Amino acid sequence: MASVIYFLCALTALACAFLLLRSYLRQRFRLLLWSGLCFAGLAINNMLLVLERIFLPQIDLSLFRLLSALIALLPLLYGLVWEEE
């Protein structure tokens, strides 16, 4: 059951990234871009979790997951702090 939940979380983050980036291409509101990039990174983070927990349980990918989460949040942080509109 846990593997299904991990996979659904990755799929949801990927869908959110797709919808946000598609909305950015239509409306050109920059916060949509930063949010879409953040969710794309979080989808990668969730895919690493699926890879670690289901396919490669003997390998510890926690450092890569933490780094991907940090990198995923940086565009959103930039957009919230330095973007003006």
Side-chain angles (χ1 to χ4, degrees):
M1 187 63 164
S3 60
V4 173
I5 293 172
Y6 293 145
F7 181 72
L8 288 176
C9 288
L11 193 62
T12 302
L14 191 62
C16 288
F18 172 76
L19 291 173
L20 286 165
L21 292 173
R22 188 181 67 172
S23 294
Y24 169 72
L25 290 175
R26 289 184 182 168
Q27 299 176 359
R28 297 292 179 191
F29 187 61
R30 296 196 39 116
L31 188 58
L32 291 171
L33 172 66
W34 304 126
S35 299
L37 291 175
C38 177
F39 272 96
L42 291 175
I44 292 170
N45 184 26
N46 283 324
M47 288 178 205
L48 285 172
L49 179 67
V50 168
L51 187 66
E52 178 184 10
R53 299 290 178 175
I54 298 170
F55 298 113
L56 303 170
Q58 69 277 9
I59 298 175
D60 182 25
L61 297 176
S62 61
L63 178 64
F64 296 109
R65 287 191 295 117
L66 289 173
L67 285 175
S68 68
L70 174 66
I71 292 170
L73 290 175
L74 288 177
L76 186 59
L77 181 65
Y78 173 81
L80 289 173
V81 173
W82 283 287
E83 284 292 319
E84 296 178 11
E85 287 222 14

